[in-house]
Amino acid sequence: MATTTQADASEERRTAARPEAMYGVLIFMVFLAVYFLSGASALIYEVVWTRLLSLVFGVTLHAISAVLASFMAGLALGSVVAGRLADRVRAPLLYYAVLEVAIAVLGLASLVAIRELTPTYLWLYKASGNSQEIAHGLRFALACAAVLLPAAAMGATLPFIVRASLQQLPKVGENVSLLYATNTAGAAAGTILAGFFLVGQLGFQESVLVAAGLNIVAGVFALVLAALPSSRRLSAAAPPAVRAAPPRPTEAPVREPAGGPTRLVLLAMFISGLCALAYEVVWFRILDLFLNGTVYAFSIMLGTFLVGLAIGSALIRTVIGSAWNWVLVLAVLQLLIGAQAISAEFLVGAVPAWRDGLADNPALAPLMGRPVAAMATACVGVLLPLAVLLGMTFPVAAQALAGGRRLAGSLIGGLNASNTVGAIFGSLAGGFWLLPVLGSQRSLEALAVVNVALAAILFWAAVARRPWWRLAVPAFGLVVLFIGSAPNMVMEVYRGLFKGHEMIWFEEGLENTVSVQRHPDGYTVMYLNNRSQAFDAPAMVAYHELIGHLPMLLHPGPKDALVIGMGGGATPGAVSRYQATEIDVVELSPSVVRGATFFRHINNNLHDQANVHITVDDGRNHMLLTDKRYDVITADVIQAHHAGSGNLYSREYYALAKGVLRDDGLMVQWVNPALPVQHALIARTFMEVFPNVSFWYYGSLMIGSKQPQDLTRERLQQRFDQPGVTENAMRMNLSSAADLLTQYTGDREDFRKNVGPGPLLTDNRPLTEYFRSAPQAATERDTVESSR
C-alpha cells in the first residue's frame, strides 16, 4: 500500500510539474526573443546612422570610419560602465528593460541630432580655417555627439542580461553563448530587414521608428519578466535543454591558472576583435570583386557574417558545460581561424569558375541566374566558415575568464569592451593600412600570422607545465608553412572574372580596388572592383566628352566649372579644353585618380593641365564646404543603382548643387533613357529643384538652371564665335549653333507630361538603390541588376 501511495504521489508531482515546465519553456523563449529584438534593432540603427552621417560628412573611408569608430566606442563605453554596475544590483532585468526603452528614446533623438549636425559641421569647419586635417577630427567628434549615447546604452545591455540570466542558469559560458547567438541572429535579421525591405519601403528615418519600436517591445517584455514572482521564474521550470546539468563525480575540475587568466584573456579578445573586423574589411573588399556593387550585396555579406557568428556561438554551447581547459580551447580556435583564413585564399580564386559551373548546370541555372542567389552562394562559401569560428571565440573567452567567479557583470563588460576596442582598431587598420599598404592577400596572411602567434601564447599559458607541449610546435610550424604556400589569389580572381584580359595596372586603394586592363577587343578598360568605369572605345569616349562639352557650349562664358567624379577623365578632359575656365575635379578614390593616367590619350592629359585642380573628396562634402561658386557643374556617368549612388541623384543633392551655382550657372545630369522608371524618377526629382530644365540627346542629358535658358540660335552662335569654341565643338561634330540645336529634345513642360506625377528621390528614400523593395522601380530590377 505504501509503495502504491508513493508511486501515486510521484506521478501526481510529475503531472503537476508539466504545466509549470511548459510555462517555463514559454518564459525562456520570451527571454531569448527580447535579446533577439535588441540585436535586430541595433543593426537597423547602425545601417541608418552610417548612411545619414555619410550625407553630412561624405562617403570617404575617413568619414565612414569616423562613424563606425564612434558607434563602437559607444558600445565599449557602455559595456565597461554597465559591467561594474550590473554586479551590484538586485534586479538586473529591470535595468535591462530601462536600457531598452532608453535606446528607443535616444535612437529617435539621434535623428534630430544628425539633422542639426550639418550647420554645426559647416560652422566649425569654416572657423577652423577650412582645414581638411581638422575636418577629420570634427567628423569623429560630431559623430560621437550624435550616436555615442544610444550606442553606449546598447553596449550596456549585455552585462545586465548576462547577470539576469545567471539567476536562471548558473554557468556563465552557457549563458553568454546562448545570448550571443540569439543577439547576433537578431542582428543578421535586422541587417536583411533593413537592406531588403525597410529602407526601400519606408525610408531611413522611418526605419529608425521601427528599430525604436523593437526596443520598446523588448523593454516591455523584459519588464513583464522582471515582475514575475520568483516561484515562476525561469529557474523553477527551465527546460532540460537549457538547464545546467549537475557535474558528474567522474568529471575533472576545470583547470584555471592561479588567480584566473584575466589579463591574458582580455588581451586575447582585444586581438581577436582587431583581427575579426580587419578580416571583415578585407573579405568584403575581395568579395565585392564578384558582386554587383548594390546595397543588397553589402546586406548579404554582412548578414552572412552575422549568421556565421550566431551559428558558431550556438555550436559551442553544446560543449560549453564540459570541464575543459578553456584557455587551451581559445588557443585552438585562434589557430583554426588563422588556418581557415588561408584556406579561403585557395578557394576564392576558384569562385568565378565555380559560380559559372553552377550557372551552367540545368538544374541550378534558374537559381544561379538570380543575382541575390549568386551573391549569397559566394558569401556562404568564403565568409561563413570564418565567421563560425569567430562566433565561438567570445563564449569560450567568457568561460575561460569567468570560471569560478561571481562578478560576472564586470567580467563580461570588460571582455565585451576589450573585444569592441579591438574591433575599432581592426576596422581602421584594415581600411587605412592593411589594404592600401599590403594588399588583400598579404593582409589576410598578416592577420593569420597574428592569430597563430596569439594561439601560441595562449597555448603556452594553458599547458606550459605539461611535458607534451612541445608536440604542438610542429602544428604551429605547419600552419605558418601553409600560410606561405598560398597561391596568388588576386591574380586568380582577375583571370576568372576577366577572361582574355591583359592586366596593365591595379591597386587596392582606400576606397576600392581599381584595375586597368586590356580588353580582348583591343581597347583599354578601367574597372572599379568588377564594374567597368571607363574605356577608350571611340563611341563611349565621344559620349563622355559630350557630357563635358554640352554645358560649356550652352553657357555664354563659363569661368569656373566643377566635375564630380573622374573615371577615365574623358568628361573633365573635355571641359579642360576651354582654357579660359578653371576646373575643379572632385574624385572620391585616389586610386581612380592614379588609374586615369593610363587614359591620357582620351582625357587631354588631364593631370598636367594648368587650369585643372584635382581634389580627392566626396562630391557632396565638397559642395557643402566650399565657398566657391560655379558657372557649370557636370559629373561622370554614375550608375544610379550602385550602393551609395543615390546620394548623387537625390533632391537634397540637387539643392546643394543649385546652391553653389552662380545665378546664370548650368548643371548637367546624365540619366539612362533605356530605364523608363528610373529616368522618370530622376527627371521628376531634377525638375523639382531646378525651375528651368532643358533636355538633350533623346532625353539622356538634362540641363538645369536658376534662370531661364536662352537657347536662341543667335545667342548660341555668339558662343561658337568665341576663340577656340568651334574647334572644341567640332570634336562632337557640331560646327554651329544650328547643329547643336538639332540635339535639343524638349523643355520641362514637354517632359513633365512624360514623367507624370510620382515619388521623388530623396536622401531618406533612395529608390534607385533599393529597387527590389521599391514598387515604383521593381519593373526594372532585372535590367538594373544585369547592368554593370
Side-chain angles (χ1 to χ4, degrees):
M1 177 68 72
T3 303
T4 304
T5 302
Q6 291 174 357
D8 291 343
S10 298
E11 180 62 28
E12 188 174 318
R13 285 194 298 270
R14 284 194 294 269
T15 303
R18 285 171 189 158
E20 193 166 354
M22 294 299 296
Y23 183 72
V25 172
L26 177 62
I27 297 302
F28 183 77
M29 296 303 294
V30 173
F31 191 84
L32 293 180
V34 165
Y35 212 39
F36 179 91
L37 295 177
S38 182
S41 69
L43 261 292
I44 295 173
Y45 285 125
E46 183 180 351
V47 168
V48 172
W49 287 338
T50 302
R51 179 57 176 260
L52 293 184
L53 286 169
S54 73
L55 296 173
V56 180
F57 304 139
V59 293
T60 63
L61 185 63
H62 296 85
I64 292 174
S65 296
V67 175
L68 293 178
S70 303
F71 177 70
M72 289 189 285
L75 294 178
L77 176 64
S79 187
V80 170
V81 174
R84 297 178 178 179
L85 181 61
D87 294 318
R88 304 172 186 173
V89 301
R90 299 184 61 183
L93 197 55
L94 178 61
Y95 280 76
Y96 173 82
V98 172
L99 279 172
E100 287 291 347
V101 176
I103 293 169
V105 174
L106 293 170
L108 294 173
S110 70
L111 293 178
V112 179
I114 291 172
R115 189 163 56 244
E116 296 302 318
L117 283 185
T118 299
T120 305
Y121 176 49
L122 184 58
W123 182 83
L124 290 173
Y125 178 77
K126 301 295 184 186
S128 72
N130 299 352
S131 168
Q132 284 297 322
E133 290 72 21
I134 293 177
H136 297 328
L138 286 176
R139 289 164 182 162
F140 178 72
L142 293 174
C144 282
V147 308
L148 190 68
L149 284 179
M154 293 177 194
T157 58
L158 180 60
F160 281 109
I161 202 165
V162 169
R163 285 293 297 161
S165 70
L166 285 174
Q167 296 177 350
Q168 324 301 334
L169 302 173
K171 291 194 175 182
V172 173
E174 291 185 5
N175 293 14
V176 171
S177 62
L178 189 61
L179 291 169
Y180 186 77
T182 302
N183 187 252
T184 308
T191 299
I192 299 302
L193 184 65
F196 280 83
F197 177 76
L198 287 179
V199 176
Q201 292 286 8
L202 303 177
F204 284 107
Q205 296 187 34
E206 291 76 7
S207 298
V208 169
L209 296 178
V210 173
L214 295 177
N215 289 127
I216 291 174
V217 171
V220 168
F221 276 103
L223 282 174
V224 171
L225 289 176
L228 289 175
S230 58
S231 61
R232 290 187 174 183
R233 297 178 74 173
L234 181 61
S235 58
V242 297
R243 182 178 294 163
R248 296 191 299 264
T250 56
E251 285 183 341
V254 177
R255 300 181 182 89
E256 294 283 357
T262 304
R263 293 181 181 177
L264 179 60
V265 173
L266 290 177
L267 175 63
M269 286 310 295
F270 172 85
I271 296 175
S272 180
L274 186 152
C275 290
L277 261 290
Y279 277 129
E280 183 179 323
V281 169
V282 174
W283 275 121
F284 278 21
R285 174 69 66 81
I286 294 169
L287 286 172
D288 204 29
L289 291 171
F290 307 109
L291 309 181
N292 61 9
T294 68
V295 292
Y296 305 113
F298 176 78
S299 296
I300 289 172
M301 284 191 287
L302 182 56
T304 302
F305 196 79
L306 292 170
V307 166
L309 294 178
I311 291 173
S313 186
L315 288 175
I316 200 64
R317 188 185 176 277
T318 61
V319 297
I320 206 75
S322 302
W324 291 354
N325 185 327
W326 291 103
V327 176
L328 178 59
V329 174
L330 190 59
V332 172
L333 279 177
Q334 293 300 315
L335 187 64
L336 291 175
I337 289 169
Q340 194 282 329
I342 304 305
S343 298
E345 288 190 356
F346 288 85
L347 170 66
V348 76
V351 166
W354 173 52
R355 189 177 59 181
D356 293 344
L358 292 176
D360 292 339
N361 188 311
L364 298 175
L367 178 64
M368 295 305 297
R370 302 183 67 83
V372 169
M375 285 187 279
T377 302
C379 290
V380 168
V382 175
L383 269 184
L384 195 65
L386 173 66
V388 168
L389 291 171
L390 290 170
M392 295 179 179
T393 303
F394 193 89
V396 168
Q399 185 75 346
L401 190 63
R405 297 166 184 260
R406 293 185 178 275
L407 299 178
S410 59
L411 291 175
I412 295 303
L415 191 70
N416 192 36
S418 296
N419 192 245
T420 305
V421 172
I424 295 173
F425 282 94
S427 62
L428 296 175
F432 287 104
W433 185 71
L434 288 175
L435 281 169
V437 175
L438 299 181
S440 56
Q441 179 154 353
R442 294 293 174 256
S443 296
L444 290 176
E445 292 165 358
L447 292 170
V449 169
V450 171
N451 285 125
V452 173
L454 177 59
I457 294 171
L458 290 167
F459 184 82
W460 171 266
V463 298
R465 297 184 181 89
R466 304 288 178 179
W468 48 267
W469 72 267
R470 295 179 183 83
L471 297 176
V473 174
F476 288 102
L478 286 174
V479 172
V480 173
L481 183 63
F482 183 51
I483 291 172
S485 66
N488 190 327
M489 175 188 65
V490 175
M491 296 313 298
E492 289 294 328
V493 168
Y494 275 109
R495 276 193 286 268
L497 286 175
F498 306 108
K499 294 181 175 63
H501 286 62
E502 176 190 350
M503 180 68 71
I504 299 173
W505 172 88
F506 84 95
E507 180 174 283
E508 295 176 295
L510 285 173
E511 311 295 340
N512 41 44
T513 299
V514 179
S515 65
V516 177
Q517 304 188 49
R518 187 81 62 197
H519 193 275
D521 292 339
Y523 50 84
T524 304
V525 190
M526 176 191 288
Y527 291 98
L528 265 65
N529 298 323
N530 70 343
R531 301 178 296 278
S532 60
Q533 179 72 9
F535 52 99
D536 60 1
M540 187 59 64
V541 172
Y543 190 81
H544 280 259
E545 287 185 338
L546 172 65
I547 300 173
H549 282 295
L550 180 62
M552 299 299 289
L553 294 173
L554 293 176
H555 194 281
K559 300 299 182 185
D560 296 284
L562 171 65
V563 183
I564 304 295
M566 177 179 286
T571 297
V575 180
S576 72
R577 293 182 182 277
Y578 299 82
Q579 293 296 317
T581 305
E582 294 292 315
I583 300 104
D584 291 333
V585 182
V586 182
E587 168 55 48
L588 184 66
S589 171
S591 298
V592 169
V593 174
R594 286 187 282 271
T597 60
F598 292 90
F599 293 85
R600 291 179 180 274
H601 56 292
I602 67 167
N603 64 27
N604 192 36
N605 292 308
L606 183 68
H607 299 72
D608 301 325
Q609 296 299 325
N611 63 333
V612 174
H613 315 284
I614 300 172
T615 302
V616 176
D617 196 4
D618 174 83
R620 282 184 62 138
N621 194 64
H622 174 83
M623 289 194 294
L624 173 66
L625 299 178
T626 187
D627 292 323
K628 198 170 184 179
R629 294 298 176 261
Y630 295 97
D631 299 298
V632 166
I633 297 177
T634 185
D636 189 25
V637 172
I638 300 169
Q639 296 293 342
H641 66 281
H642 287 160
S645 296
N647 294 355
L648 301 179
Y649 287 93
S650 69
R651 177 178 57 195
E652 291 82 358
Y653 167 72
Y654 293 137
L656 269 177
K658 181 181 176 184
V660 298
L661 274 177
R662 293 195 173 107
D663 288 342
D664 62 345
L666 302 175
M667 179 180 184
V668 60
Q669 175 64 67
W670 169 83
V671 59
N672 190 348
L675 301 174
V677 176
Q678 188 183 101
H679 185 282
L681 278 168
I682 296 172
R684 193 183 301 121
T685 305
F686 194 78
M687 290 190 291
E688 175 75 12
V689 175
F690 288 99
N692 304 282
V693 180
S694 59
F695 291 81
W696 302 77
Y697 288 86
Y698 307 100
S700 66
L701 296 177
M702 303 182 292
I703 301 289
S705 61
K706 300 177 183 179
Q707 297 179 353
Q709 300 172 23
D710 185 354
L711 301 179
T712 60
R713 182 181 299 181
E714 292 75 18
R715 207 281 301 165
L716 292 176
Q717 189 58 49
Q718 291 175 4
R719 173 62 173 155
F720 272 76
D721 292 341
Q722 292 177 13
V725 173
T726 299
E727 289 81 351
N728 289 331
M730 284 296 294
R731 296 180 62 86
M732 299 293 99
N733 295 318
L734 303 172
S735 61
S736 66
D739 289 342
L740 177 60
L741 287 172
T742 62
Q743 304 303 323
Y744 176 74
T745 310
D747 61 14
R748 65 179 295 124
E749 294 306 319
D750 297 325
F751 273 79
R752 186 176 295 280
K753 300 172 187 177
N754 294 334
V755 302
L760 303 177
L761 293 170
T762 65
D763 287 345
N764 185 53
R765 198 171 176 211
L767 295 176
T768 55
E769 290 182 62
Y770 292 85
F771 47 83
R772 281 189 167 273
S773 56
Q776 296 86 354
T779 56
E780 291 179 354
R781 66 169 177 252
D782 293 332
T783 304
V784 170
E785 287 179 340
S786 63
S787 66
R788 294 191 176 181

